[in-house]
Amino acid sequence: DRMLRSLLSQVARRLLHLARGDAVAAASRGVRATVPVSQEVLATMLGVTRQTLSKELRVLATAGCIVPQYGRITIVSLEKLQEFALAD
């Protein structure tokens, strides 16, 4: 399954997994969920370089899904991120 999914979809799915119920609970209250993970750690989890991951995070940020920050990633739109996760 992982081999068939695009890296962008894998990144979105991993962020949703790391956020777990926090993202859903935050969205229901109208606030943003934050995933406390560095890009280096997330890249290692996905088996890619930080530079490759950074390109994918920029796509998600431009689409209004996330805001990458130092040592954490804030989920701005749970719905949009879920769309990317299910894209493949």
Side-chain angles (χ1 to χ4, degrees):
D1 180 49
R2 184 169 185 253
M3 296 296 285
L4 300 176
R5 292 195 179 274
S6 72
L7 180 56
L8 187 59
S9 175
Q10 290 178 47
V11 172
R13 288 171 59 90
R14 183 56 59 112
L15 287 172
L16 289 169
H17 174 74
L18 291 172
R20 292 187 203 99
D22 294 342
V24 175
S28 69
R29 294 189 317 270
V31 296
R32 298 173 176 182
T34 299
V35 179
V37 65
S38 69
Q39 290 185 24
E40 190 68 42
V41 169
L42 185 57
T44 300
M45 288 178 185
L46 294 165
V48 298
T49 65
R50 192 198 54 74
Q51 293 81 359
T52 299
L53 174 66
S54 181
K55 292 176 189 175
E56 303 301 319
L57 291 176
R58 264 185 260 130
V59 171
L60 294 173
T62 301
C65 300
I66 64 166
V67 175
Q69 298 163 300
Y70 184 78
R72 65 184 183 271
I73 298 170
T74 300
I75 299 174
V76 178
S77 174
L78 183 63
E79 295 80 19
K80 288 180 184 178
L81 191 58
Q82 288 171 332
E83 288 175 18
F84 277 98
L86 300 173
D88 292 328

mmCIF file of all heavy atoms in Angstrom, residues 12 16 60-66 75-87:
data_model
loop_
_atom_site.group_PDB
_atom_site.id
_atom_site.type_symbol
_atom_site.label_atom_id
_atom_site.label_comp_id
_atom_site.label_asym_id
_atom_site.label_seq_id
_atom_site.Cartn_x
_atom_site.Cartn_y
_atom_site.Cartn_z
ATOM 1 N N ALA A 12 0.764 13.509 4.258
ATOM 2 C CA ALA A 12 -0.524 13.918 4.827
ATOM 3 C C ALA A 12 -1.049 12.864 5.790
ATOM 4 O O ALA A 12 -1.502 13.186 6.899
ATOM 5 C CB ALA A 12 -1.531 14.182 3.713
ATOM 6 N N LEU A 16 -1.643 13.241 9.904
ATOM 7 C CA LEU A 16 -2.940 12.932 10.512
ATOM 8 C C LEU A 16 -2.786 11.872 11.598
ATOM 9 O O LEU A 16 -3.392 11.961 12.660
ATOM 10 C CB LEU A 16 -3.934 12.471 9.449
ATOM 11 C CG LEU A 16 -4.417 13.559 8.497
ATOM 12 C CD1 LEU A 16 -5.186 12.935 7.333
ATOM 13 C CD2 LEU A 16 -5.275 14.579 9.227
ATOM 14 N N LEU A 60 1.730 21.287 0.751
ATOM 15 C CA LEU A 60 0.637 21.276 1.731
ATOM 16 C C LEU A 60 0.425 22.656 2.355
ATOM 17 O O LEU A 60 -0.704 23.065 2.613
ATOM 18 C CB LEU A 60 0.907 20.234 2.823
ATOM 19 C CG LEU A 60 0.893 18.778 2.363
ATOM 20 C CD1 LEU A 60 1.342 17.851 3.492
ATOM 21 C CD2 LEU A 60 -0.468 18.374 1.836
ATOM 22 N N ALA A 61 1.512 23.393 2.568
ATOM 23 C CA ALA A 61 1.408 24.735 3.140
ATOM 24 C C ALA A 61 0.750 25.691 2.146
ATOM 25 O O ALA A 61 -0.129 26.472 2.505
ATOM 26 C CB ALA A 61 2.781 25.249 3.550
ATOM 27 N N THR A 62 1.151 25.611 0.886
ATOM 28 C CA THR A 62 0.579 26.463 -0.160
ATOM 29 C C THR A 62 -0.912 26.187 -0.333
ATOM 30 O O THR A 62 -1.691 27.101 -0.610
ATOM 31 C CB THR A 62 1.326 26.257 -1.489
ATOM 32 O OG1 THR A 62 2.709 26.585 -1.283
ATOM 33 C CG2 THR A 62 0.764 27.130 -2.589
ATOM 34 N N ALA A 63 -1.302 24.932 -0.142
ATOM 35 C CA ALA A 63 -2.712 24.544 -0.267
ATOM 36 C C ALA A 63 -3.529 24.949 0.962
ATOM 37 O O ALA A 63 -4.741 24.769 0.988
ATOM 38 C CB ALA A 63 -2.813 23.035 -0.491
ATOM 39 N N GLY A 64 -2.872 25.478 1.979
ATOM 40 C CA GLY A 64 -3.580 25.926 3.169
ATOM 41 C C GLY A 64 -3.890 24.825 4.165
ATOM 42 O O GLY A 64 -4.777 24.966 5.003
ATOM 43 N N CYS A 65 -3.142 23.718 4.100
ATOM 44 C CA CYS A 65 -3.365 22.591 5.015
ATOM 45 C C CYS A 65 -2.589 22.733 6.315
ATOM 46 O O CYS A 65 -3.101 22.388 7.383
ATOM 47 C CB CYS A 65 -2.921 21.285 4.365
ATOM 48 S SG CYS A 65 -3.764 20.865 2.853
ATOM 49 N N ILE A 66 -1.341 23.183 6.208
ATOM 50 C CA ILE A 66 -0.432 23.190 7.356
ATOM 51 C C ILE A 66 0.392 24.473 7.399
ATOM 52 O O ILE A 66 0.463 25.208 6.402
ATOM 53 C CB ILE A 66 0.538 21.992 7.314
ATOM 54 C CG1 ILE A 66 1.449 22.088 6.088
ATOM 55 C CG2 ILE A 66 -0.196 20.672 7.365
ATOM 56 C CD1 ILE A 66 2.654 21.168 6.119
ATOM 57 N N ILE A 75 -1.524 22.043 11.937
ATOM 58 C CA ILE A 75 -2.554 21.688 10.960
ATOM 59 C C ILE A 75 -3.592 22.803 10.969
ATOM 60 O O ILE A 75 -4.258 23.035 11.968
ATOM 61 C CB ILE A 75 -3.200 20.330 11.287
ATOM 62 C CG1 ILE A 75 -2.134 19.225 11.248
ATOM 63 C CG2 ILE A 75 -4.346 20.035 10.317
ATOM 64 C CD1 ILE A 75 -2.624 17.870 11.701
ATOM 65 N N VAL A 76 -3.703 23.479 9.833
ATOM 66 C CA VAL A 76 -4.609 24.604 9.698
ATOM 67 C C VAL A 76 -5.981 24.139 9.208
ATOM 68 O O VAL A 76 -7.007 24.620 9.656
ATOM 69 C CB VAL A 76 -4.027 25.649 8.713
ATOM 70 C CG1 VAL A 76 -4.973 26.812 8.518
ATOM 71 C CG2 VAL A 76 -2.677 26.137 9.208
ATOM 72 N N SER A 77 -5.973 23.191 8.264
ATOM 73 C CA SER A 77 -7.232 22.668 7.721
ATOM 74 C C SER A 77 -7.199 21.149 7.719
ATOM 75 O O SER A 77 -6.557 20.531 6.862
ATOM 76 C CB SER A 77 -7.472 23.187 6.304
ATOM 77 O OG SER A 77 -8.616 22.561 5.742
ATOM 78 N N LEU A 78 -7.897 20.570 8.670
ATOM 79 C CA LEU A 78 -7.987 19.120 8.764
ATOM 80 C C LEU A 78 -8.631 18.533 7.516
ATOM 81 O O LEU A 78 -8.178 17.522 6.991
ATOM 82 C CB LEU A 78 -8.783 18.746 10.017
ATOM 83 C CG LEU A 78 -8.918 17.268 10.329
ATOM 84 C CD1 LEU A 78 -7.558 16.650 10.597
ATOM 85 C CD2 LEU A 78 -9.837 17.071 11.518
ATOM 86 N N GLU A 79 -9.669 19.191 7.018
ATOM 87 C CA GLU A 79 -10.392 18.689 5.849
ATOM 88 C C GLU A 79 -9.492 18.630 4.608
ATOM 89 O O GLU A 79 -9.471 17.636 3.897
ATOM 90 C CB GLU A 79 -11.623 19.562 5.558
ATOM 91 C CG GLU A 79 -12.678 19.508 6.639
ATOM 92 C CD GLU A 79 -12.344 20.400 7.839
ATOM 93 O OE1 GLU A 79 -11.501 21.321 7.716
ATOM 94 O OE2 GLU A 79 -12.918 20.156 8.917
ATOM 95 N N LYS A 80 -8.750 19.704 4.373
ATOM 96 C CA LYS A 80 -7.854 19.736 3.207
ATOM 97 C C LYS A 80 -6.758 18.681 3.340
ATOM 98 O O LYS A 80 -6.398 18.023 2.361
ATOM 99 C CB LYS A 80 -7.236 21.119 3.036
ATOM 100 C CG LYS A 80 -8.192 22.165 2.540
ATOM 101 C CD LYS A 80 -7.487 23.508 2.389
ATOM 102 C CE LYS A 80 -8.457 24.602 1.990
ATOM 103 N NZ LYS A 80 -7.769 25.906 1.883
ATOM 104 N N LEU A 81 -6.221 18.532 4.549
ATOM 105 C CA LEU A 81 -5.166 17.545 4.767
ATOM 106 C C LEU A 81 -5.698 16.135 4.524
ATOM 107 O O LEU A 81 -5.021 15.292 3.928
ATOM 108 C CB LEU A 81 -4.591 17.680 6.180
ATOM 109 C CG LEU A 81 -3.311 16.908 6.465
ATOM 110 C CD1 LEU A 81 -2.187 17.309 5.520
ATOM 111 C CD2 LEU A 81 -2.884 17.104 7.914
ATOM 112 N N GLN A 82 -6.926 15.878 4.940
ATOM 113 C CA GLN A 82 -7.549 14.570 4.698
ATOM 114 C C GLN A 82 -7.733 14.317 3.201
ATOM 115 O O GLN A 82 -7.557 13.191 2.743
ATOM 116 C CB GLN A 82 -8.891 14.478 5.425
ATOM 117 C CG GLN A 82 -8.743 14.341 6.917
ATOM 118 C CD GLN A 82 -10.034 14.461 7.682
ATOM 119 O OE1 GLN A 82 -10.983 15.127 7.235
ATOM 120 N NE2 GLN A 82 -10.111 13.830 8.830
ATOM 121 N N GLU A 83 -8.053 15.346 2.446
ATOM 122 C CA GLU A 83 -8.194 15.194 1.003
ATOM 123 C C GLU A 83 -6.866 14.752 0.377
ATOM 124 O O GLU A 83 -6.849 13.873 -0.477
ATOM 125 C CB GLU A 83 -8.651 16.509 0.355
ATOM 126 C CG GLU A 83 -10.095 16.854 0.641
ATOM 127 C CD GLU A 83 -10.490 18.208 0.088
ATOM 128 O OE1 GLU A 83 -9.781 18.744 -0.796
ATOM 129 O OE2 GLU A 83 -11.519 18.745 0.548
ATOM 130 N N PHE A 84 -5.772 15.357 0.811
ATOM 131 C CA PHE A 84 -4.455 14.957 0.294
ATOM 132 C C PHE A 84 -4.117 13.529 0.727
ATOM 133 O O PHE A 84 -3.539 12.762 -0.041
ATOM 134 C CB PHE A 84 -3.365 15.921 0.759
ATOM 135 C CG PHE A 84 -3.255 17.160 -0.072
ATOM 136 C CD1 PHE A 84 -3.865 18.332 0.338
ATOM 137 C CD2 PHE A 84 -2.548 17.152 -1.264
ATOM 138 C CE1 PHE A 84 -3.767 19.483 -0.426
ATOM 139 C CE2 PHE A 84 -2.446 18.299 -2.053
ATOM 140 C CZ PHE A 84 -3.070 19.471 -1.627
ATOM 141 N N ALA A 85 -4.494 13.174 1.939
ATOM 142 C CA ALA A 85 -4.202 11.825 2.454
ATOM 143 C C ALA A 85 -4.934 10.756 1.655
ATOM 144 O O ALA A 85 -4.441 9.648 1.490
ATOM 145 C CB ALA A 85 -4.580 11.735 3.921
ATOM 146 N N LEU A 86 -6.106 11.081 1.153
ATOM 147 C CA LEU A 86 -6.930 10.115 0.410
ATOM 148 C C LEU A 86 -6.774 10.235 -1.094
ATOM 149 O O LEU A 86 -7.469 9.534 -1.839
ATOM 150 C CB LEU A 86 -8.399 10.299 0.791
ATOM 151 C CG LEU A 86 -8.724 10.087 2.273
ATOM 152 C CD1 LEU A 86 -10.176 10.475 2.551
ATOM 153 C CD2 LEU A 86 -8.443 8.666 2.685
ATOM 154 N N ALA A 87 -5.879 11.086 -1.548
ATOM 155 C CA ALA A 87 -5.757 11.394 -2.984
ATOM 156 C C ALA A 87 -5.377 10.193 -3.842
ATOM 157 O O ALA A 87 -5.716 10.141 -5.002
ATOM 158 C CB ALA A 87 -4.755 12.530 -3.188
#
